[in-house]
Amino acid sequence: LAAEKNRYRFSFQPNLNKLLADRRASVSAASIDEVVRKEIQKVFASGTGVERVYFPRKSNEVPDRPVLTLAVLAPENTAPEPATKNLITQMTTESGASSRTFKSALIWVVPEDASTLIEEARKVLAWKDIDADSGELKLDETQQRQLTENTKRAERDLREAVWRAYKNVFLLADDNSLRKIDLGLVHSSAAASLVELILTRLKQEDIVVEGVSPNFLTRYWPPALPEWSTKSVRDAFYASPKFPRLLKPDAVKDTISRGLDAGTVAYVGKASDGGYEPFVYRRSLGSGDIEIADDVYLIVRERAEEYVAKKAAPTGATQPASGGEAQPTPTGVPQGGA
């Protein structure tokens, strides 16, 4: 039975529905899996701001780096399965044979169910198979037009199926347990990309942030550290779940720069005589001039003031309480008078 405008007619030639039913049955599981994975990667490739890791099975397939990383699990690793949570836990805590340092850097995106993905991919492959044989099948003009429309619709349905399936986000909670965030009913009109949708949701709860204030550093300053290296400061945002995740690692440079202007912290290096060189305090230093390294440190305001007073007392040199006039060092980094 074929439809033509507002009429129907019987024909000896099978219609598209019959052809689709026949071709769907012959689509291989391997072909379906390949199409599903390609579509998932295509959907998650849109959007910027985070790195992606697709379909990891072992912890060494997920880099241990201080950078926000979206880890997209394979379609067969569904959220309701207990084995999936065990896999996420293992890959979050381990990195190959070692313990993972940057556990908080990982945001896991997990499908709820794969059955719809599989069926939509099967339909796409069946329509494309019919299209490849359209010459031999002797499709008329109307059928060819319908075939083109059906193929495009099937591809759209597959894309929507990815959005609906990947609705679960897992990440490390403050108590080092796994927290699940259900994004609810997700569709492609909700955001420009699925990555953007996920990041927007995480930003609403301050799980992911563009930056933090200098006062945040002083509130969470490790009590045992008189000096806190800039590298350790940066790393803490991706290692400790008590810290929000920085969308961009270099955002910590802007925080330090603002802290120097406000006198919240001082930016220092250690000299051979036990003093600080350079010593930048209550002076502007652009974020581009701030180095993230193990041998460059921050100190709190109280320690900086004590250092200024100590340097001034023995020699009787007159120095302003703010830390003195900044002088350029050979590397171009300003330092306080010493």
Side-chain angles (χ1 to χ4, degrees):
L1 183 65
E4 291 182 358
K5 297 182 180 179
N6 61 341
R7 296 187 178 188
Y8 294 91
R9 66 179 177 84
F10 287 100
S11 168
F12 288 105
Q13 184 174 352
N15 63 18
L16 290 179
N17 288 337
K18 169 61 174 171
L19 292 173
L20 177 64
D22 292 342
R23 298 300 174 102
R24 279 167 62 105
S26 61
V27 176
S28 70
S31 299
I32 292 172
D33 186 61
E34 182 182 358
V35 167
V36 167
R37 287 173 181 249
K38 282 184 178 179
E39 188 63 30
I40 292 169
Q41 292 188 55
K42 183 178 177 181
V43 168
F44 279 97
S46 300
T48 58
V50 293
E51 294 196 1
R52 281 83 155 172
V53 176
Y54 296 104
F55 320 131
R57 291 181 175 275
K58 299 178 181 178
S59 62
N60 59 5
E61 296 174 3
V62 183
D64 189 17
R65 300 176 53 223
V67 59
L68 202 60
T69 302
L70 212 62
V72 183
L73 286 194
E76 62 268 20
N77 298 128
T78 57
E81 289 292 328
T84 299
K85 189 172 183 180
N86 292 337
L87 178 65
I88 295 172
T89 300
Q90 185 258 329
M91 290 193 289
T92 299
T93 56
E94 299 175 9
S95 178
S98 306
S99 296
R100 185 175 296 276
T101 301
F102 303 108
K103 301 179 181 69
S104 288
L106 300 179
I107 298 172
W108 301 93
V109 191
V110 185
E112 181 70 17
D113 181 65
S115 58
T116 304
L117 283 171
I118 292 171
E119 288 308 309
E120 294 299 343
R122 189 192 303 277
K123 191 186 298 183
V124 169
L125 286 168
W127 284 127
K128 288 185 175 181
D129 192 32
I130 295 170
D131 186 47
D133 293 342
S134 58
E136 295 181 14
L137 295 170
K138 297 180 181 180
L139 301 180
D140 59 31
E141 184 178 342
T142 301
Q143 287 178 315
Q144 190 65 57
R145 185 173 62 253
Q146 290 175 343
L147 175 59
T148 301
E149 292 172 356
N150 290 341
T151 302
K152 290 181 179 178
R153 186 183 302 114
E155 289 174 339
R156 289 196 302 269
D157 290 345
L158 176 58
R159 183 169 62 253
E160 287 296 328
V162 174
W163 278 71
R164 291 195 303 271
Y166 281 84
K167 62 191 286 288
N168 301 294
V169 175
F170 287 84
L171 44 78
L172 210 60
D174 288 357
D175 60 357
N176 284 302
S177 65
L178 271 183
R179 178 189 173 189
K180 176 185 175 183
I181 298 175
D182 190 333
L183 299 176
L185 183 60
V186 179
H187 46 82
S188 62
S189 61
S193 69
L194 187 49
V195 171
E196 180 182 311
L197 179 73
I198 292 169
L199 291 178
T200 299
R201 174 62 184 276
L202 296 181
K203 287 177 182 178
Q204 289 172 353
E205 298 188 35
D206 289 331
I207 295 171
V208 171
V209 296
E210 298 280 353
V212 296
S213 70
N215 288 331
F216 179 90
L217 298 183
T218 57
R219 286 200 307 272
Y220 288 91
W221 197 283
L225 295 181
E227 297 103 1
W228 196 3
S229 78
T230 55
K231 182 175 181 293
S232 295
V233 172
R234 191 264 326 264
D235 290 354
F237 287 94
Y238 302 99
S240 171
K242 297 185 183 299
F243 282 58
R245 288 91 170 155
L246 289 176
L247 191 59
K248 297 180 180 178
D250 281 350
V252 74
K253 293 184 178 182
D254 181 62
T255 300
I256 294 171
S257 178
R258 288 185 285 125
L260 294 176
D261 284 338
T264 307
V265 295
Y267 175 84
V268 303
K270 289 187 178 180
S272 57
D273 62 358
Y276 293 132
E277 185 180 345
F279 178 77
V280 184
Y281 179 51
R282 292 189 182 275
R283 292 293 176 187
S284 294
L285 186 61
S287 58
D289 294 323
I290 291 171
E291 185 180 357
I292 303 298
D294 283 320
D295 58 353
V296 181
Y297 302 88
L298 300 182
I299 58 174
V300 294
R301 176 191 290 117
E302 293 77 12
R303 188 174 181 85
E305 294 287 357
E306 289 175 5
Y307 181 73
V308 170
K310 181 180 178 182
K311 292 292 288 184
T315 60
T318 303
Q319 293 195 16
S322 64
E325 291 296 325
Q327 298 294 331
T329 67
T331 58
V333 179
Q335 65 177 16

